[in-house]
């Protein structure tokens, strides 16, 4: 998948094609419906499917301090988009100046002049331009005048509710990673570099890899989870702990995991933890022996969940 930053930097030979627009945090089932339509239209026309996304999240620029927890890093988002057939990803820096473009300026400058869109595919509730003044109807009217088609895609619903990144973030924040995985069509994950911790795990027989998660990551509720550690093409079952380690009077919230059947040095590695099931909440134990007994049970539970017979 070809990737570039800033629509004005669209490489020669990559103008034109079917463009879909959105932040697409999580690349969840609702997003996949829209992106999938763009990929199908591109294939039907023997053109390329291009995703126009933004960085950072618009909320942080327009309302500083309101940045939501993110379900995907830009790196993971790109991997997911490529896996579902997207040919190119344009990452548009979201700045105050960019936010002040009128709907007409956005359409003519970004979609027509810089990306050269032949078809634009968006969700039925799509808005754009300064103060979100542009709508699906104005986009379709602009398309008629400026020579591109517009597809409005019906949003995916969960019961009566539209499936949204906000709803999935809520599920993750509550520790409901199984429900989140259904909406995401994959396990939720957090990523980061493995850093040094207190090294207590090694002394009690359960060495853990402590990940310094990426900024704004949607970290599940405190507790112990069955899941996987992923790096360099490997996917290893792992018992993942999130919390402050109250047994040792800890204060710093950490994301760390014991990797089953693994013996190696992961310091400095870029690691992703995938969450399959919440096993229990964070507990304070009266002794190290009690903690070790519970950790043994957590590891066996993780083995049952991740390595079913």
């Amino acid at each position: 998948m070809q990737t570039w930053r800033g629509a004005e930097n669209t490489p020669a030979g990559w103008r034109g094609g079917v463009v879909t627009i959105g932040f697409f945090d999580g690349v969840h089932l609702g997003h996949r419906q829209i992106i999938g339509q763009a990929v199908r239209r591109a294939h039907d026309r023997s053109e390329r499917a291009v995703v126009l996304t933004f960085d950072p999240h618009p909320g942080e620029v327009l309302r500083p301090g309101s940045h939501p927890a993110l379900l995907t890093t830009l790196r993971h988002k790109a991997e997911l988009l490529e896996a579902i057939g997207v040919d190119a990803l344009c990452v548009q820096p979201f700045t105050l100046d960019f936010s002040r473009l009128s709907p007409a300026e956005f359409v003519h400058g970004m979609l027509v002049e810089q990306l050269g869109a032949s078809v634009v595919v968006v969700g039925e509730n799509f808005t754009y331009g300064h103060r979100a003044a542009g709508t699906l109807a104005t986009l379709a009217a602009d398309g008629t005048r400026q020579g591109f088609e517009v597809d409005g895609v019906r949003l995916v619903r969960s019961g009566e509710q539209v499936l949204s990144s906000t709803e999935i973030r809520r599920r993750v924040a509550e520790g409901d990673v199984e429900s989140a995985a259904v909406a995401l069509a994959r396990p939720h994950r957090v990523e980061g570099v493995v850093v040094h911790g207190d090294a207590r795990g090694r002394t009690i027989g359960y060495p853990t890899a402590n990940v310094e998660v990426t900024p704004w990551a949607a970290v599940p509720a405190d507790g112990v989870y069955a899941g996987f550690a992923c790096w360099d093409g490997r996917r290893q079952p792992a018992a993942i702990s999130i919390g402050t380690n109250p047994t040792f009077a800890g204060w710093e919230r950490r994301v760390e995991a014991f990797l089953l059947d693994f013996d190696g040095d992961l310091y400095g590695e870029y690691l992703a933890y995938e969450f399959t099931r919440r096993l229990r909440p964070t507990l304070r134990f009266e002794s190290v022996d009690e903690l070790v007994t519970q950790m043994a049970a957590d590891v066996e539970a993780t083995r049952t969940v991740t390595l079913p017979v």
Side-chain angles (χ1 to χ4, degrees):
M1 183 176 71
Q2 181 81 8
T3 303
W4 62 89
R5 190 170 182 86
E8 72 278 9
N9 296 317
T10 300
W14 280 85
R15 286 188 74 257
V18 180
V19 177
T20 185
I21 310 163
F23 191 73
F24 297 133
D25 185 31
V27 193
H28 57 63
L29 288 175
H31 298 149
R32 288 167 185 255
Q33 179 128 313
I34 297 167
I35 298 163
Q37 172 68 0
V39 170
R40 287 188 294 272
R41 287 299 307 271
H43 287 175
D44 290 345
R45 298 170 64 92
S46 298
E47 295 180 347
R48 293 157 170 159
V50 181
V51 167
L52 172 62
T53 194
F54 308 101
D55 181 54
H57 190 282
E60 182 60 19
V61 175
L62 300 174
R63 299 174 297 279
S66 68
H67 199 307
L70 294 181
L71 299 167
T72 43
T73 60
L74 184 57
R75 171 178 178 164
H76 189 209
K77 185 190 296 185
E79 292 171 358
L80 293 168
L81 292 172
E82 183 173 24
I84 59 178
V86 171
D87 298 302
L89 174 64
C90 175
V91 181
Q92 178 64 34
F94 197 95
T95 64
L96 278 175
D97 284 345
F98 177 76
S99 75
R100 292 173 181 140
L101 291 178
S102 69
E105 289 171 329
F106 174 81
V107 168
H108 184 72
M110 298 282 294
L111 300 182
V112 177
E113 292 294 320
Q114 294 172 344
L115 292 175
S118 61
V119 180
V120 178
V121 180
V122 292
E124 61 184 331
N125 64 342
F126 178 71
T127 58
Y128 62 100
H130 187 52
R131 299 187 183 278
T135 64
L136 180 58
T138 63
L139 183 63
D142 280 339
T144 299
R145 286 191 295 268
Q146 301 196 52
F148 60 86
E149 299 177 32
V150 174
D151 284 0
V153 180
R154 179 172 166 78
L155 301 180
V156 172
R157 286 162 172 78
S158 178
E160 297 298 315
Q161 186 177 33
V162 170
L163 180 61
S164 68
S165 299
T166 299
E167 168 60 19
I168 299 172
R169 293 182 194 118
R170 182 192 65 77
R171 299 179 191 184
V172 169
E174 293 177 355
D176 186 4
V177 296
E178 292 181 84
S179 174
V182 172
L184 290 167
R186 59 175 176 83
H188 175 60
R189 71 193 290 183
V190 298
E191 309 174 23
V193 175
V194 178
V195 297
H196 289 274
D198 298 321
R200 286 199 189 95
R202 190 169 299 280
T203 66
I204 60 175
Y206 291 96
T208 59
N210 180 24
V211 167
E212 185 174 51
V213 298
T214 53
W216 314 114
V219 177
D222 288 3
V224 175
Y225 297 79
F228 295 88
C230 307
W231 78 103
D232 287 341
R234 298 187 61 171
R235 191 166 183 261
Q236 196 81 15
I240 309 164
S241 174
I242 300 174
T244 59
N245 204 340
T247 300
F248 296 100
W251 58 272
E252 182 183 7
R253 192 173 189 234
R254 292 180 176 175
V255 180
E256 55 189 327
F258 173 74
L259 279 61
L260 277 62
D261 308 318
F262 175 80
D263 183 18
D265 184 359
L266 291 171
Y267 290 122
E269 290 280 358
Y270 190 86
L271 209 65
Y273 287 144
E274 293 183 348
F275 299 89
T276 302
R277 183 182 301 170
R278 190 172 192 235
L279 300 177
R280 62 173 176 86
T282 298
L283 302 172
R284 183 183 182 279
F285 298 94
E286 296 301 320
S287 68
V288 173
D289 286 344
E290 287 184 18
L291 171 61
V292 170
T293 298
Q294 182 59 59
M295 290 179 72
D298 294 338
V299 167
E300 287 311 303
T302 296
R303 192 179 299 279
T304 299
V305 170
T306 59
L307 297 171
V309 176

